[in-house]
Amino acid sequence: MRETLKLKVMEEVQAENDRQAQETRRKFDARGIFAINVTGAPGAGKTTSIISIAKNLKDQSIRVIEGDIESNIDTVKLDRLGIDTQQINTQGACHLDAPVIAKAADALDLQDGSLLFIENVGNLVCPAEFYVGEHVKMLILTATDGSDKPYKYPLAFEKADILLLNKCDLLPYVDFDEEYFMRGVRALNKTAPLIKVSGKTGEGYKEVADWIIQRRSPK
Amino acid sequence: MRETLKLKVMEEVQAENDRQAQETRRKFDARGIFAINVTGAPGAGKTTSIISIAKNLKDQSIRVIEGDIESNIDTVKLDRLGIDTQQINTQGACHLDAPVIAKAADALDLQDGSLLFIENVGNLVCPAEFYVGEHVKMLILTATDGSDKPYKYPLAFEKADILLLNKCDLLPYVDFDEEYFMRGVRALNKTAPLIKVSGKTGEGYKEVADWIIQRRSPK
């Protein structure tokens, strides 16, 4: 009985989330704003990747919504580089949801035509379940986290529009089975490009930036 | 209204979880079973750490409950080493809870006096919120995930009884600020020991094994 009530409430929460996400998406579209939902495990290098992509997109107006359970460490980092950022502290919640993003997007001074990065809470599970109004989902993995991730966290891989394999500068020092990893990725997701990057050396981010530009305005 | 109902259901779920966890704990205690809830982000090296600890505890009867959203990769790994393991697939759920552990513990052939590792879902957020009947919580961090983790995921650090900093063999290749990390840890948790380990070289696990023996039967 309690279990049924729990499931019913969860369904309602999900439906309300999706309704609000669609409304946010309509607002983004009306203003020519392109939104990227950036997900990945804790320490995957989400903020570093946003910074490295931004460096390769100098002609774009870039804004960031920064989701963390606590702290404003990443917002301080982004602000220092002149990237306009709105911090969200979820107070324990394990993902960003549509109501929270709708509010943050209103609070952020979003220029028409902006490119908006929404950095989700570090978590390979829950953020994959919540659409927040984004145009694309970017999933960041790392060479140091092991090659079995697609097999263990399939939903995040299924839903990704682009995958980054970060910390590739450490590949010589770790046992990462690329063939096994790619087989897992392609069983779940046939089309999303996977780009090898390194937050340390900057390798690969030009290609990511080009993909974003192409995806935003296909020619 | 919907929000209030959601919170009420969540409170009920939590209360029911704790009631069941206490019952599991009583069963463990009656049979001299010592349970360790192993948590950490995806790729932190939870399974590798359990294996490395087991190698240093040869005189103990060791059992493992292996929690994953999907796959049985880690169970196969443990079984091959002769470690008796019970796989749980949470089908999307981001953490293990007390009802699930109570069932798995019944299914596993637990000898009286066993040492039971409960490997949680890879997630630095949700598992910290659910007591499953364990005696101690072990939190595994990595040198490759960055030194800001205590500031971003405080609850997991607050609740830990022992912390392992894994992948220490990679410290020379990454920017990991140990002083900043330790300051964050000690602001949240004054007493839990932090032990540097390497799943690759085996460094540090003897010390972890000694801590478990001492904690289990203080002299």
Side-chain angles (χ1 to χ4, degrees):
Chain A
M1 176 65 181
R2 189 180 279 121
E3 198 57 26
T4 318
L5 180 61
K6 182 182 157 194
L7 286 176
K8 200 175 162 306
V9 171
M10 285 300 131
E11 264 172 36
E12 265 193 50
V13 167
Q14 192 62 259
E16 173 58 22
N17 181 82
D18 290 350
R19 198 197 55 70
Q20 197 142 2
Q22 279 153 18
E23 197 181 305
T24 299
R25 172 65 177 264
R26 274 192 296 273
K27 282 189 195 169
F28 286 159
D29 284 339
R31 299 183 56 193
I33 292 162
F34 189 78
I36 303 177
N37 187 351
V38 182
T39 62
K46 293 179 288 300
T47 310
T48 307
S49 291
I50 291 170
I51 291 169
S52 304
I53 295 166
K55 282 182 187 161
N56 285 283
L57 286 170
K58 284 204 191 296
D59 55 336
Q60 308 261 332
S61 156
I62 290 173
R63 298 289 183 277
V64 179
I65 293 173
E66 183 59 51
D68 285 293
I69 292 176
E70 290 196 22
S71 91
N72 66 345
I73 295 168
D74 294 335
T75 293
V76 169
K77 224 184 270 178
L78 290 156
D79 273 344
R80 268 194 205 136
L81 295 165
I83 300 174
D84 204 350
T85 304
Q86 169 77 19
Q87 177 74 49
I88 295 172
N89 281 138
T90 65
Q91 315 296 352
C94 50
H95 62 273
L96 297 174
D97 62 17
V100 153
I101 291 303
K103 223 167 121 184
D106 282 343
L108 192 64
D109 171 35
L110 280 176
Q111 272 182 269
D112 290 359
S114 297
L115 181 62
L116 175 65
F117 290 95
I118 299 165
E119 183 179 336
N120 223 305
V121 176
N123 184 331
L124 216 43
V125 189
C126 318
E129 294 165 19
F130 287 82
Y131 173 49
V132 298
E134 72 272 14
H135 294 81
V136 292
K137 275 191 210 296
M138 176 181 287
L139 175 63
I140 308 186
L141 294 314
T142 75
T144 51
D145 277 350
S147 34
D148 56 4
K149 295 299 153 287
Y151 305 93
K152 289 183 176 173
Y153 306 91
L155 189 67
F157 284 83
E158 264 175 55
K159 295 216 168 173
D161 297 290
I162 179 169
L163 298 121
L164 274 54
L165 182 65
N166 192 12
K167 309 196 188 179
C168 276
D169 53 293
L170 296 175
L171 275 171
Y173 310 111
V174 294
D175 303 317
F176 187 84
D177 185 338
E178 283 190 59
E179 196 273 322
Y180 177 64
F181 179 73
M182 281 311 298
R183 213 176 339 128
V185 171
R186 288 302 167 226
L188 296 161
N189 191 320
K190 298 258 176 286
T191 56
L194 181 129
I195 302 175
K196 283 190 198 175
V197 299
S198 163
K200 200 162 185 178
T201 68
E203 180 198 330
Y205 287 107
K206 171 77 174 66
E207 200 183 327
V208 179
D210 289 345
W211 181 89
I212 291 171
I213 290 171
Q214 171 62 23
R215 180 69 180 239
R216 183 172 190 174
S217 315
K219 274 165 200 137
Chain B
M1 175 65 180
R2 190 179 280 120
E3 199 56 26
T4 318
L5 180 61
K6 183 182 155 194
L7 287 176
K8 200 175 162 306
V9 171
M10 286 300 130
E11 264 172 38
E12 266 192 50
V13 167
Q14 193 62 260
E16 173 58 22
N17 181 82
D18 291 351
R19 197 198 54 71
Q20 196 141 4
Q22 279 152 19
E23 198 181 305
T24 299
R25 172 64 178 266
R26 273 192 296 273
K27 282 189 194 169
F28 287 158
D29 284 339
R31 300 183 54 194
I33 292 163
F34 189 78
I36 304 178
N37 186 351
V38 182
T39 63
K46 294 179 287 300
T47 311
T48 307
S49 291
I50 291 170
I51 291 169
S52 304
I53 296 166
K55 283 181 187 162
N56 285 282
L57 285 170
K58 285 204 192 295
D59 56 334
Q60 307 262 329
S61 155
I62 290 174
R63 297 289 183 275
V64 179
I65 293 173
E66 183 59 51
D68 285 294
I69 292 175
E70 290 196 22
S71 92
N72 66 344
I73 296 168
D74 294 335
T75 293
V76 169
K77 223 184 272 178
L78 290 156
D79 273 344
R80 268 193 205 137
L81 296 165
I83 300 174
D84 204 350
T85 304
Q86 169 77 18
Q87 177 74 50
I88 295 172
N89 281 138
T90 66
Q91 314 295 353
C94 51
H95 62 273
L96 296 174
D97 61 16
V100 153
I101 291 303
K103 223 167 121 184
D106 282 342
L108 193 64
D109 171 35
L110 281 176
Q111 272 181 268
D112 289 0
S114 296
L115 181 62
L116 175 65
F117 290 95
I118 298 166
E119 183 179 335
N120 223 306
V121 176
N123 184 330
L124 217 42
V125 188
C126 318
E129 294 165 20
F130 287 82
Y131 172 48
V132 298
E134 72 271 15
H135 294 81
V136 293
K137 274 190 211 295
M138 174 180 288
L139 174 64
I140 307 186
L141 295 313
T142 76
T144 51
D145 277 351
S147 33
D148 55 5
K149 295 301 153 288
Y151 304 92
K152 289 183 175 172
Y153 306 91
L155 188 66
F157 285 82
E158 264 175 54
K159 294 215 168 176
D161 297 289
I162 179 168
L163 298 120
L164 275 54
L165 183 64
N166 192 12
K167 308 194 189 183
C168 275
D169 52 294
L170 296 174
L171 275 171
Y173 310 111
V174 295
D175 304 317
F176 186 84
D177 186 337
E178 283 190 58
E179 196 273 324
Y180 176 64
F181 178 74
M182 282 311 298
R183 215 178 334 129
V185 170
R186 287 300 168 230
L188 296 161
N189 190 321
K190 298 258 176 287
T191 55
L194 181 129
I195 302 175
K196 283 191 199 174
V197 298
S198 164
K200 201 163 184 176
T201 68
E203 180 197 330
Y205 288 107
K206 171 76 173 65
E207 201 182 326
V208 179
D210 289 346
W211 180 89
I212 291 170
I213 291 171
Q214 170 63 22
R215 180 70 180 240
R216 183 172 190 174
S217 315
K219 275 166 200 136

XYZ file of all heavy atoms in Angstrom, chain A residues 54-107:
404
model
N 34.472 26.320 -23.643
C 34.265 27.775 -23.779
C 35.461 28.444 -24.459
O 35.298 29.367 -25.268
C 34.012 28.402 -22.404
N 36.659 27.965 -24.132
C 37.866 28.529 -24.751
C 37.870 28.330 -26.260
O 38.507 29.087 -26.995
C 39.125 27.866 -24.156
C 39.480 28.400 -22.784
C 40.754 27.743 -22.257
C 40.989 28.160 -20.807
N 41.915 27.240 -20.113
N 37.191 27.303 -26.711
C 37.115 27.011 -28.144
C 35.870 27.611 -28.801
O 35.582 27.312 -29.959
C 37.136 25.494 -28.364
C 38.523 24.896 -28.171
O 39.371 25.015 -29.041
N 38.764 24.303 -27.011
N 35.129 28.398 -28.032
C 33.883 28.993 -28.558
C 33.866 30.483 -28.232
O 32.893 30.982 -27.653
C 32.661 28.317 -27.923
C 32.301 26.907 -28.373
C 31.230 26.317 -27.482
C 31.834 26.896 -29.825
N 34.911 31.169 -28.585
C 35.099 32.541 -28.122
C 34.037 33.517 -28.649
O 33.781 34.546 -28.031
C 36.496 33.028 -28.514
C 37.586 32.425 -27.621
C 38.814 33.315 -27.604
C 40.004 32.637 -26.956
N 39.855 32.307 -25.540
N 33.436 33.187 -29.794
C 32.467 34.127 -30.372
C 31.044 33.916 -29.839
O 30.111 34.575 -30.276
C 32.476 34.011 -31.908
C 32.215 32.582 -32.357
O 32.480 31.651 -31.565
O 31.722 32.399 -33.474
N 30.875 32.978 -28.893
C 29.533 32.706 -28.383
C 29.342 33.379 -27.009
O 30.273 33.487 -26.238
C 29.339 31.195 -28.177
C 29.676 30.344 -29.379
C 28.454 29.946 -30.172
O 27.367 29.834 -29.623
N 28.626 29.774 -31.477
N 28.102 33.782 -26.749
C 27.759 34.264 -25.411
C 27.432 33.038 -24.556
O 26.448 32.339 -24.798
C 26.558 35.201 -25.522
O 25.878 35.238 -24.315
N 28.282 32.797 -23.551
C 28.151 31.564 -22.762
C 27.668 31.851 -21.343
O 28.149 32.781 -20.682
C 29.504 30.801 -22.743
C 29.769 30.226 -24.148
C 29.508 29.674 -21.706
C 31.109 29.595 -24.338
N 26.702 31.074 -20.885
C 26.206 31.156 -19.517
C 26.218 29.750 -18.912
O 26.089 28.775 -19.640
C 24.772 31.684 -19.485
C 24.606 33.096 -20.026
C 25.204 34.124 -19.077
N 25.004 35.498 -19.529
C 25.772 36.129 -20.410
N 26.799 35.502 -20.959
N 25.525 37.366 -20.756
N 26.357 29.697 -17.577
C 26.397 28.395 -16.903
C 25.447 28.390 -15.704
O 25.407 29.357 -14.940
C 27.835 28.039 -16.422
C 27.854 26.690 -15.701
C 28.822 28.019 -17.581
N 24.693 27.313 -15.564
C 23.978 27.041 -14.315
C 24.733 25.892 -13.650
O 24.938 24.840 -14.249
C 22.507 26.640 -14.564
C 21.727 27.834 -15.130
C 21.856 26.147 -13.275
C 20.308 27.494 -15.576
N 25.150 26.115 -12.429
C 26.080 25.227 -11.729
C 25.337 24.517 -10.605
O 24.945 25.154 -9.624
C 27.212 26.098 -11.183
C 28.319 25.385 -10.492
C 28.995 24.383 -11.416
O 29.376 24.759 -12.552
O 29.109 23.232 -10.991
N 25.119 23.213 -10.761
C 24.378 22.459 -9.746
C 25.298 21.682 -8.831
O 26.088 20.871 -9.287
N 25.190 21.950 -7.527
C 25.960 21.195 -6.540
C 25.085 20.993 -5.313
O 24.256 21.844 -4.996
C 27.216 21.973 -6.093
C 28.306 21.959 -7.143
O 28.852 20.878 -7.400
O 28.600 23.025 -7.716
N 25.324 19.919 -4.607
C 24.613 19.710 -3.350
C 24.962 20.836 -2.390
O 24.096 21.475 -1.816
C 25.003 18.342 -2.758
C 24.434 17.261 -3.676
C 24.487 18.195 -1.351
C 24.821 15.885 -3.286
N 26.255 21.069 -2.244
C 26.716 22.216 -1.453
C 27.931 22.845 -2.128
O 28.443 22.312 -3.097
C 27.081 21.785 -0.021
C 25.861 21.413 0.794
C 26.129 21.352 2.291
O 27.097 21.967 2.759
O 25.349 20.673 2.981
N 28.381 23.968 -1.618
C 29.569 24.699 -2.063
C 29.335 25.524 -3.318
O 28.376 25.313 -4.051
C 30.772 23.759 -2.316
O 30.798 23.316 -3.664
N 30.236 26.499 -3.538
C 30.182 27.293 -4.774
C 31.562 27.301 -5.440
O 31.918 28.241 -6.139
C 29.695 28.722 -4.472
C 30.696 29.474 -3.612
O 31.592 28.868 -3.023
N 30.554 30.786 -3.542
N 32.322 26.237 -5.214
C 33.701 26.144 -5.706
C 33.774 26.336 -7.214
O 34.616 27.081 -7.727
C 34.284 24.756 -5.331
C 34.393 24.622 -3.806
C 35.653 24.523 -5.980
C 34.686 23.213 -3.325
N 32.883 25.679 -7.947
C 32.943 25.726 -9.411
C 32.462 27.078 -9.947
O 32.969 27.563 -10.956
C 32.128 24.582 -10.010
C 32.737 23.219 -9.671
O 33.956 23.165 -9.428
O 31.996 22.229 -9.656
N 31.505 27.672 -9.255
C 31.022 28.991 -9.671
C 32.125 30.032 -9.536
O 32.321 30.871 -10.426
C 29.781 29.382 -8.832
O 28.730 28.488 -9.201
C 29.337 30.807 -9.089
N 32.872 29.966 -8.446
C 33.999 30.872 -8.242
C 35.008 30.699 -9.385
O 35.506 31.675 -9.971
C 34.669 30.623 -6.860
C 35.990 31.356 -6.736
C 33.716 31.021 -5.736
N 35.294 29.423 -9.725
C 36.222 29.092 -10.807
C 35.757 29.711 -12.123
O 36.542 30.335 -12.855
C 36.258 27.561 -10.944
C 37.640 26.965 -11.106
C 37.564 25.447 -11.331
C 37.608 24.641 -10.055
N 37.482 23.175 -10.287
N 34.489 29.562 -12.440
C 33.945 30.049 -13.709
C 33.882 31.578 -13.725
O 34.222 32.218 -14.721
C 32.551 29.453 -13.943
C 32.536 27.945 -14.262
C 31.199 27.310 -13.918
C 32.859 27.708 -15.730
N 33.457 32.152 -12.614
C 33.363 33.617 -12.514
C 34.717 34.278 -12.756
O 34.804 35.307 -13.416
C 32.833 34.032 -11.128
C 31.310 34.062 -11.090
O 30.696 34.073 -12.183
O 30.742 34.075 -9.988
N 35.764 33.663 -12.200
C 37.128 34.191 -12.362
C 37.533 34.276 -13.816
O 38.367 35.095 -14.198
C 38.124 33.292 -11.632
C 38.366 33.754 -10.229
C 39.608 33.076 -9.635
N 39.453 33.066 -8.195
C 39.714 32.038 -7.392
N 40.166 30.911 -7.902
N 39.534 32.134 -6.100
N 36.972 33.367 -14.619
C 37.288 33.355 -16.049
C 36.321 34.231 -16.838
O 36.316 34.232 -18.066
C 37.238 31.914 -16.578
C 38.292 30.982 -15.981
C 37.956 29.539 -16.259
C 39.681 31.327 -16.541
N 35.465 34.957 -16.117
C 34.526 35.862 -16.780
C 33.311 35.158 -17.374
O 32.628 35.706 -18.231
N 33.048 33.927 -16.912
C 31.858 33.205 -17.406
C 30.719 33.401 -16.399
O 30.847 33.064 -15.227
C 32.159 31.700 -17.603
C 33.296 31.516 -18.633
C 30.907 30.963 -18.059
C 33.767 30.078 -18.787
N 29.631 33.952 -16.902
C 28.498 34.335 -16.063
C 27.782 33.069 -15.553
O 27.238 32.306 -16.348
C 27.556 35.183 -16.928
C 26.696 36.096 -16.086
O 26.687 35.932 -14.858
O 26.044 36.967 -16.673
N 27.770 32.884 -14.233
C 27.303 31.615 -13.665
C 26.279 31.824 -12.561
O 26.408 32.740 -11.756
C 28.507 30.819 -13.097
O 29.477 30.653 -14.137
C 28.089 29.446 -12.601
N 25.285 30.951 -12.539
C 24.276 30.963 -11.477
C 24.416 29.687 -10.671
O 24.299 28.585 -11.212
C 22.884 31.035 -12.146
C 21.708 30.803 -11.232
C 21.401 32.021 -10.359
O 21.826 33.126 -10.658
N 20.697 31.800 -9.270
N 24.711 29.819 -9.377
C 24.889 28.635 -8.519
C 23.538 28.125 -8.009
O 22.702 28.905 -7.561
C 25.777 28.987 -7.322
C 25.983 27.850 -6.325
C 26.927 26.778 -6.853
O 28.010 27.076 -7.334
N 26.513 25.523 -6.784
N 23.347 26.831 -8.074
C 22.223 26.187 -7.395
C 22.802 25.229 -6.376
O 23.639 24.399 -6.725
C 21.368 25.347 -8.371
C 20.706 26.228 -9.406
C 20.316 24.542 -7.612
C 20.016 25.433 -10.493
N 22.359 25.335 -5.116
C 22.700 24.295 -4.142
C 21.448 23.479 -3.878
O 20.417 24.024 -3.466
C 23.245 24.902 -2.845
C 24.701 25.321 -2.966
O 25.106 26.368 -2.503
N 25.502 24.503 -3.614
N 21.545 22.187 -4.132
C 20.338 21.354 -4.078
C 19.991 20.907 -2.658
O 18.983 20.253 -2.458
C 20.498 20.094 -4.961
O 21.531 19.273 -4.407
C 20.837 20.458 -6.396
N 20.838 21.229 -1.686
C 20.592 20.864 -0.281
C 20.314 19.383 -0.130
O 19.319 18.990 0.469
C 19.424 21.683 0.312
C 19.431 23.161 0.024
C 20.637 23.910 0.650
O 21.377 23.326 1.423
N 20.819 25.158 0.302
N 21.160 18.581 -0.703
C 21.019 17.135 -0.532
C 20.458 16.427 -1.747
O 20.698 15.241 -1.914
N 19.706 17.135 -2.585
C 19.092 16.442 -3.725
C 20.164 16.004 -4.717
O 21.128 16.726 -4.978
C 18.057 17.321 -4.409
N 19.959 14.817 -5.289
C 20.996 14.136 -6.056
C 20.986 14.478 -7.539
O 21.737 13.899 -8.311
C 20.824 12.632 -5.878
S 19.134 12.096 -6.187
N 20.133 15.397 -7.959
C 20.049 15.772 -9.371
C 19.364 17.132 -9.480
O 18.739 17.598 -8.533
C 19.225 14.736 -10.137
C 17.801 14.660 -9.645
N 17.417 13.861 -8.597
C 16.688 15.337 -10.020
C 16.124 14.029 -8.362
N 15.660 14.924 -9.202
N 19.493 17.755 -10.642
C 18.725 18.963 -10.935
C 17.398 18.540 -11.555
O 17.351 17.566 -12.293
C 19.491 19.852 -11.909
C 20.829 20.396 -11.388
C 21.575 21.141 -12.494
C 20.611 21.328 -10.196
N 16.339 19.290 -11.264
C 15.066 18.994 -11.913
C 14.536 20.242 -12.621
O 15.101 21.333 -12.500
C 14.051 18.394 -10.936
C 13.704 19.331 -9.796
O 13.978 20.545 -9.893
O 13.143 18.844 -8.802
N 13.451 20.065 -13.348
C 12.939 21.144 -14.195
C 12.506 22.394 -13.412
O 12.821 23.517 -13.830
C 11.798 20.618 -15.063
N 11.800 22.257 -12.272
C 11.404 23.473 -11.535
C 12.617 24.303 -11.102
O 12.616 25.523 -11.192
C 10.658 22.921 -10.313
C 10.201 21.555 -10.699
C 11.203 21.027 -11.671
N 13.658 23.623 -10.658
C 14.879 24.291 -10.200
C 15.560 25.026 -11.368
O 16.031 26.155 -11.223
C 15.807 23.220 -9.545
C 17.260 23.599 -9.640
C 15.409 23.010 -8.089
N 15.600 24.388 -12.531
C 16.242 25.001 -13.694
C 15.419 26.178 -14.224
O 15.974 27.213 -14.620
C 16.470 23.946 -14.805
C 17.535 22.953 -14.357
C 16.880 24.600 -16.129
C 18.869 23.583 -13.977
N 14.099 26.036 -14.209
C 13.233 27.132 -14.662
C 13.516 28.388 -13.838
O 13.655 29.491 -14.376
C 11.764 26.716 -14.533
N 13.650 28.202 -12.530
C 13.920 29.323 -11.619
C 15.317 29.918 -11.859
O 15.483 31.135 -11.945
C 13.826 28.814 -10.174
C 13.078 29.742 -9.243
C 12.767 29.034 -7.944
C 13.369 29.754 -6.768
N 13.167 29.041 -5.508
N 16.309 29.061 -11.991
C 17.689 29.526 -12.182
C 17.838 30.249 -13.517
O 18.547 31.255 -13.608
C 18.660 28.350 -12.109
N 17.171 29.741 -14.544
C 17.263 30.364 -15.865
C 16.662 31.772 -15.822
O 17.165 32.690 -16.470
C 16.555 29.502 -16.907
N 15.600 31.940 -15.033
C 15.006 33.277 -14.878
C 15.967 34.213 -14.151
O 16.051 35.398 -14.461
C 13.678 33.196 -14.103
C 12.540 32.701 -14.998
O 12.696 32.747 -16.236
O 11.515 32.259 -14.460
N 16.692 33.685 -13.160
C 17.590 34.508 -12.345
C 18.862 34.899 -13.106
O 19.469 35.929 -12.829
C 17.969 33.765 -11.065
